[in-house]
Amino acid sequence: MLRLLEPTEGTIRHGDQDLLAMKAEPLRRHRARATMVFQDPYESLNPRMRIRSVIEEPLMLHTPLDRAGRRRRAAELMRMVQLETFHLDRYPHELSGGQLQRIGIARALATDPEFLVLDEPTSSLDLSVRAGVLRLLKRLQREHDITYLFISHDLATVAAMSDEVAVMYLGTVIERGRAAEVLGNPQHPYSQALLSAALPVDPDQRRTRLVLAGRPPAPSICRPAARSLHVVHCVAMSARPRCRRCTRSRRGTGQPASACLKEPTSFRLPCRPSSLRAEEKVLNAHPYSHLFEPIKIGPKVAKNRLWMTAHSTQLVKDHNFTDRHVAYYAERAKGGVGVITMEAMATHPTTQPYEGKIFAFDRAVIPNYQKLSKAVHEHGALLLAQPWHRGRETNGVVNRLPVWAPSSVPCTVYREMPHTMDEENINEILEGYTLAARYAAEGGLDGVEVHGLAHGYLLGQFLSPATNHRTDQYGGSDENRLRIVLEIIERTRREVGPDLIVGVRINGDDGEVEGGLRTEHWAQIARTIADTGLIDYVSVTQGTYQNRMLIYPTTPREQGYQMEATRQIKQMVPELPVVVAGRMTSPEKAEYAVASGAADMVGMARTLIADPEWPNKALEQREADIRPCVGANHCMASIVSAPLACIHNPAVGREAEMGTGTLEITSRPRSVAVVGGGPGGLRAALTLSQRGHEVTLFEKGAELGGQVNWIARSESYAEWGSIAGWLISQLRDTAVKVELGVEATLDSLKGYDSVVVATGSTPLRTGWSMNHPIRWASGEGVPGVDQFNVITAEEALRNHAELGPNVMVFDDLGGRHAVVVAEHLQANRHQVELVTTLSSVAPELSATRDVGWVHKRLRTAGVVFTPNREVAGIEEDVVTLRDVHTGETEEREPVDSVVLITGSKAEDSSTTASRRPASRCAQSATASLRAECSTPSGKPNWLPARSEEKKHVEGDL
């Protein structure tokens, strides 16, 4: 009813509206009129949001109320569900289950819905609490004239709450009628058996139990039916005589009192019968069965539906692959992925955004192709090349050549005016793609993925009227704009022959580019290419460099955001395998993409950077062991100036030394203390324990996770909490002893052979910017920074409710810290001014490619940007700002709170203490693991130098 899950077939109508035909805006309006209360209140409320934010969220999405109006409405809703308004400033974990379910009801009522889905809303509550919630629901229905769809297995609750009842078996309604009639005189054998299984309230009351001997039939559909089958076993379902029709009429209507929707001549539920063995197969079906089915791709067969899409590694040397490439791709193949497309490779010298680009047009790649294919094929995966050209989306800094494009339209990122390609230039590009295909075949690869159509690259520039202004044979009409693409595909197929795969990577949507190509255009392009009969699959992505957050978005972009556009393209080319991408991070979402028909295969890049073993772990149903991609885009930032890296997989790019199966168990176990329970300390403790050392982890705080925890308090960065969360979950399977709330001291560390210090850092509170280095020596701060209303980022994120309405965030770093704080505070009803000494806000986010998206989110929310200023003084609620260029000053008033983000100092007191000669642990070396730092290759410097000891301890962040 709410389209939270897309049905596989059938229709859904609400009044005169076809819900399945609704597009985005009508569907959004429908969701304001039809809302839902979920079964588990603990799972359905965001634990990182205060109750006020939970209730006000639908008001922000669906109503024109301003902040004051939303606050009034939230208070009104709390009174409606009989809760005090002071609960609005609490978090979900501070409330009971009954209170949380009332919060869920208040949230559902926020938009004055006319229809409310109640999915077992009381099944997880105590009996007395359940009664109170049911009475509340009855009263609200009476007062607000709401229709309920009440879903329950509790027959007493059904009788108390329902006017009409529908009985379902294996996903099919088998009987429907007035509640008293269905419950009092059921017509279908399954309904009769179900009701007879209910226990009477009076233990002395005798009841006749209808036991149906035999086996329930197995469903002809898969997973949804399996859940229903468990219910059937509770009532010992089996065959019965012919279903009788009720001939009594509803009073005054002449209609049957209860309509049995199935009338078999002998009792047969609406599924074909099968053996018990087949039934058990359904009950034990793999939850990701679609993902792990083989699939034919042209002349080849992929072992499963998981596809590692192309991405840059910067492991390149002399425009060619290296042994590190071999280890990198072999690691992902060993992890269980079915198909790998290697990184985009240049088809011409004019496409070199940086030195680390492979020349696919140089036959020197052939020997390395052979190495790569051998390593990948050993693990049963297919391996493809991806020839490509960037067109205008580059510059000539590296290659010192002109930028080529169909027309002289510069890119919004590189901003270099391109040379308009002539026919000779076009022929050079055609020849480059031709050579790339030839060398891929000679190198033993399984095929070629023609790239350059997607992401606004060269071939996409030819396709789009926004960037192709030509009037010759390569422009002016859809047919002409597609000409170069078809010529390249034809040449590629001719070079590789019928025994290798040829595919294309296209967009599903260019995004909000004026005159750009949208989903309907790309669907037609896919159809035209498919009609050539020359390709074996279509891989779909999104975005151009004008909106790169459609290409590789950071959190909080949702999982599977490209799925619906890909579904439309799949519908246009049903005969070809189609690959969907777009933050496909969980097995559940990937399975749904295939099972629902949105695509045939699931593409993922950053997901497999974070965890190469994702496929094997999903196959083995070890979901909790999957190291999640958190959307930090540290991988994107790393390749700006170094090889590929991950924010919490230290083995990326170093698979030969640190990959799966390389960890060695020590022959000399030691007793090791790890001081600090942030990501660095957690990683050290985990690896040391896995190697066989006896580890004790000290954390003076009340919880593990360090500074990641307070970053994750911001709703937009909640996923970052999984960095520490994953490490903590892995520690549970080790023998690491965790001492929470215990500060390590010199005396407490004396009994250990070695000590790892991972105590992180503490924020500076002086307020001085980097423009005043001499001021850093004295330790004296900017006048007024010692006031109670001057705080750190951690304090602001932890206790934002204690801040006043007007907050100034002062940033001297230019990274993510300030925008996390500003966005969180603005979302929680503070008015924020973000002041920075730099010429723009958070310029370092250019490396993670989301600087524009973050600016848009903050400015849309109402955050005020003030660049080129520093804090000169604070006096009560007046802040004096100084222009960093002219020295002129100006005042801001009133400012209730000031958040300082000017850097941090290493918390290394434990390191100093542990090096004292009196300490036994000082006689062993002490290692300090810091954020965004890894110890160098070789042996851990706090362990003695022995050849059998292999370096495996890494600072994760």
Side-chain angles (χ1 to χ4, degrees), residues 678-736:
L682 291 168
R683 176 73 263 180
L686 176 61
T687 303
L688 287 166
S689 179
Q690 289 172 336
R691 295 202 58 218
H693 297 290
E694 182 181 335
V695 182
T696 301
L697 175 63
F698 292 92
E699 169 53 50
K700 67 179 181 180
E703 60 181 356
L704 298 172
Q707 296 184 24
V708 168
N709 289 344
W710 57 261
I711 292 173
R713 284 179 178 269
S714 172
E715 186 177 352
S716 291
Y717 296 92
E719 285 186 68
W720 284 45
S722 297
I723 296 171
W726 181 81
L727 288 166
I728 293 168
S729 72
Q730 298 305 295
L731 276 185
R732 295 192 184 107
D733 295 329
T734 70
V736 173

Side-chain angles (χ1 to χ4, degrees), residues 212-242:
L212 304 176
R215 305 186 189 100
S220 56
I221 56 176
C222 55
R223 293 177 57 199
R227 184 181 179 206
S228 297
L229 205 53
H230 286 287
V231 178
V232 174
H233 279 296
C234 296
V235 296
M237 189 68 227
S238 73
R240 281 286 290 168
R242 183 171 184 267

Side-chain angles (χ1 to χ4, degrees), residues 76-94:
E76 178 188 359
L77 289 164
M78 292 293 281
R79 289 189 289 270
M80 286 170 54
V81 297
Q82 300 171 337
L83 291 176
E84 297 294 337
T85 55
F86 67 78
H87 289 110
L88 288 168
D89 291 320
R90 293 187 175 180
Y91 287 97
H93 72 270
E94 297 175 291

Side-chain angles (χ1 to χ4, degrees), residues 73-203:
R73 176 61 174 161
E76 178 188 359
L77 289 164
M78 292 293 281
R79 289 189 289 270
M80 286 170 54
V81 297
Q82 300 171 337
L83 291 176
E84 297 294 337
T85 55
F86 67 78
H87 289 110
L88 288 168
D89 291 320
R90 293 187 175 180
Y91 287 97
H93 72 270
E94 297 175 291
L95 303 179
S96 68
Q99 289 173 323
L100 289 178
Q101 196 61 298
R102 289 172 185 262
I103 296 299
I105 295 168
R107 178 179 60 180
L109 295 174
T111 57
D112 286 324
E114 58 190 35
F115 185 88
L116 186 59
V117 178
L118 299 163
D119 182 15
E120 299 206 44
T122 60
S123 63
S124 62
L125 305 178
D126 293 339
L127 192 60
S128 60
V129 176
R130 184 183 308 179
V133 171
L134 290 175
R135 285 194 297 270
L136 172 67
L137 288 170
K138 294 284 281 186
R139 178 178 61 80
L140 291 172
Q141 183 182 41
R142 190 170 58 250
E143 293 175 355
H144 298 276
D145 194 25
I146 308 171
T147 298
Y148 288 164
L149 174 59
F150 200 100
I151 303 165
S152 180
H153 289 87
D154 185 334
L155 297 179
T157 300
V158 170
M161 292 295 298
S162 304
D163 297 312
E164 294 187 15
V165 171
V167 181
M168 294 187 70
Y169 177 73
L170 298 178
T172 299
V173 175
I174 56 171
E175 186 167 358
R176 184 178 65 211
R178 300 292 296 176
E181 295 158 351
V182 172
L183 299 176
N185 186 25
Q187 301 301 298
H188 197 286
Y190 171 63
S191 305
Q192 297 164 5
L194 179 65
L195 291 167
S196 75
L199 294 173
V201 175
D202 183 358

Side-chain angles (χ1 to χ4, degrees), residues 6 96 101 166 202 208 264 303 343 384 414 416 446 511 526 617 675 751 755 767 780 787 878 890 895 897:
E6 294 295 335
S96 68
Q101 196 61 298
D202 183 358
T208 302
K303 66 180 181 180
E343 59 201 89
L384 279 67
Y414 289 93
E416 182 168 325
D446 296 293
K617 290 176 180 178
V675 184
V755 176
E780 294 183 3
Q787 292 182 177
V878 179
E890 56 189 298
V895 177
S897 302

Side-chain angles (χ1 to χ4, degrees), residues 778-790:
S778 65
E780 294 183 3
V782 168
V785 293
D786 55 349
Q787 292 182 177
F788 75 93
N789 61 339
V790 181

